[in-house]
Amino acid sequence: MGGYGDFGSSLRDLPRLRTSRRGRVSSWDRTGGNTDNFRVEPGQTRELADIQGPGVITHIWCTVALDHVGKPAELEGDYLRRLVLKITWDDQSQPAVLVPLGDFFGMGHGLSANFVSAPLQMSPQDGKGFNCWFAMPFAGRARFELISEMSVKPVTFYFYIDYETYAEADPELGYFHAQWRRQNPTDGVEQGDQTNEEFLFGGTNIGGEGNYVILEAEGRGHYVGTVLNVHNLRHTSEWNWYGEGDDMFFIDGEAWPPRLHGTGTEDYFNTAWCPTQQYQAPYHGLTMAGGRNWSGQVSYYRFHVEDPVVFDESIRVTIEHGHANKRSDDVSSVAYWYQTLPALPVTLAPVEDRIPRPL
């Protein structure tokens, strides 16, 4: 076997012969029966896979079933925020991925729905089949765990973790990371005597202080995208657009203004004009568009597959919550990036701070 290789994953590259060896860890029934799942009890951390490298994770598929026996079916319907995917690379003491399960696979608010992007997909029925195609190289070891912070129900978890192994590691490959964040609510301002137009579109933000932070990382690597979720908390019959937040990327400690400065929430996610329609594309989409007058829950994704944001020392990815950070909404996100090890610790808020708001 050789190393990772310089081939891509396009149709044009499929004829190129390779020397890797494929492997899979899955929840298949070791007795030969049809109970092809792992049962995970409330409060339990279950190891899914411990793979020796050098290698690369090529694909993850999973689905979850709740145990309804003796319990109301609607109890703990927020299970996609209570179940956490944890991934640790090589000999690191800290995980590189620590994200609620539903958010990791591309949608927030503890919900699922059918959608298609290049790296992440939720498949029928009703988005309950989760898929990830982010390549995740590792030199020595890849350890996957599922943490259950359910309070009363066990879950049954079905999964595939597909991988390739090689004879040697490539030192120029970054390690995949993902982190979940939430600010609930964001630190906005009172409307006071401002008109609705002044409140939504007026004021200035020079410096980027107070922006919602999607990612802060140190080391060498590149940022490859985010899932951003907004729960609109402003109740009004007036125009209630939650956006106008400029994205601002501060790379390698650069001062204001940053090299990457955007023009508005929907613009960073490659949509336009205050969208109210769901939309899916390989690298950007709006999986939840909210209700009337942009009420309720919204979920976007933007993946920098063709245009990763490179950093040599550090990166701070931010976005305003409303123009000039005036809005006070429930905002959460997942950042996806590759970098060298060791990295800053990836942390996760306690379960009570992850539970989505009811509509």
Side-chain angles (χ1 to χ4, degrees):
M1 294 188 298
Y4 185 85
D6 57 3
F7 47 80
S9 57
S10 67
L11 292 175
R12 182 181 178 87
D13 268 337
L14 279 180
R16 193 184 306 276
L17 299 180
R18 312 181 186 197
T19 56
S20 61
R21 177 171 294 177
R22 280 292 302 274
R24 172 184 295 155
V25 180
S26 77
S27 55
W28 68 280
D29 187 341
R30 272 61 174 174
T31 70
N34 194 40
T35 308
D36 292 319
N37 59 70
F38 284 10
R39 186 178 176 89
V40 186
E41 299 291 337
Q44 182 183 14
T45 296
R46 182 73 186 262
E47 183 176 276
L48 306 178
D50 191 348
I51 304 167
Q52 300 302 305
V56 60
I57 307 301
T58 56
H59 172 240
I60 304 168
W61 167 86
C62 63
T63 190
V64 183
L66 296 180
D67 186 348
H68 298 321
V69 176
K71 302 291 182 181
E74 68 274 8
L75 191 63
E76 292 194 294
D78 50 18
Y79 67 97
L80 292 178
R81 281 272 171 90
R82 292 179 174 271
L83 298 173
V84 177
L85 180 64
K86 179 181 179 182
I87 307 175
T88 308
W89 304 123
D90 294 356
D91 58 355
Q92 298 298 298
S93 60
Q94 299 287 336
V97 173
L98 195 64
V99 179
L101 192 69
D103 293 79
F104 178 86
F105 285 97
M107 282 188 64
H109 309 293
L111 298 174
S112 66
N114 299 340
F115 85 91
V116 176
S117 74
L120 300 175
Q121 299 178 11
M122 289 186 175
S123 308
Q125 183 72 352
D126 299 323
K128 296 300 192 295
F130 303 155
N131 288 276
C132 173
W133 275 276
F134 275 118
M136 305 178 188
F138 56 97
R141 183 184 185 194
R143 189 175 182 213
F144 286 72
E145 298 169 277
L146 183 70
I147 302 169
S148 172
E149 295 189 277
M150 306 287 281
S151 59
V152 295
K153 282 187 178 179
V155 298
T156 51
F157 189 69
Y158 301 77
F159 69 92
Y160 288 29
I161 300 173
D162 292 313
Y163 64 93
E164 296 178 352
T165 57
Y166 310 107
E168 56 187 11
D170 186 338
E172 285 301 303
L173 296 178
Y175 286 82
F176 180 81
H177 288 68
Q179 183 175 27
W180 186 85
R181 289 174 177 251
R182 185 185 195 182
Q183 194 173 355
N184 178 27
T186 49
D187 186 16
V189 300
E190 295 292 334
Q191 181 174 347
D193 58 2
Q194 298 177 81
T195 66
N196 195 60
E197 183 175 1
E198 289 172 335
F199 179 68
L200 294 183
F201 306 108
T204 60
N205 178 6
I206 300 297
E209 291 81 8
N211 291 0
Y212 176 81
V213 177
I214 295 171
L215 171 63
E216 285 186 291
E218 294 181 0
R220 178 188 171 209
H222 45 259
Y223 162 77
V224 296
T226 188
V227 172
L228 183 76
N229 315 296
V230 179
H231 192 142
N232 190 332
L233 300 183
R234 185 171 180 249
H235 301 287
T236 179
S237 59
E238 297 186 286
W239 177 279
N240 197 19
W241 168 237
Y242 55 82
E244 300 306 309
D246 294 357
D247 58 286
M248 306 177 197
F249 293 34
F250 298 87
I251 300 169
D252 296 336
E254 67 184 350
W256 175 272
R259 285 173 283 167
L260 300 179
H261 192 303
T263 58
T265 308
E266 75 271 40
D267 305 341
Y268 172 63
F269 289 95
N270 299 151
T271 62
W273 299 112
C274 312
T276 60
Q277 302 168 344
Q278 294 184 5
Y279 178 78
Q280 304 166 40
Y283 306 142
H284 72 281
L286 179 55
T287 53
M288 300 174 62
R292 186 185 180 95
N293 200 18
W294 302 284
S295 60
Q297 297 167 330
V298 174
S299 190
Y300 287 92
Y301 62 86
R302 168 71 161 98
F303 299 125
H304 295 265
V305 175
E306 307 297 340
D307 55 347
V309 182
V310 175
F311 56 97
D312 292 324
E313 299 175 1
S314 65
I315 190 169
R316 190 168 187 262
V317 180
T318 75
I319 192 168
E320 294 177 303
H321 42 95
H323 174 65
N325 293 320
K326 287 187 173 182
R327 291 199 54 111
S328 302
D329 293 318
D330 179 353
V331 180
S332 62
S333 61
V334 181
Y336 307 88
W337 76 103
Y338 291 88
Q339 73 158 91
T340 54
L341 296 178
L344 293 177
V346 172
T347 58
L348 181 63
V351 64
E352 59 268 19
D353 294 332
R354 302 198 308 265
I355 301 305
R357 291 172 177 263
L359 281 173

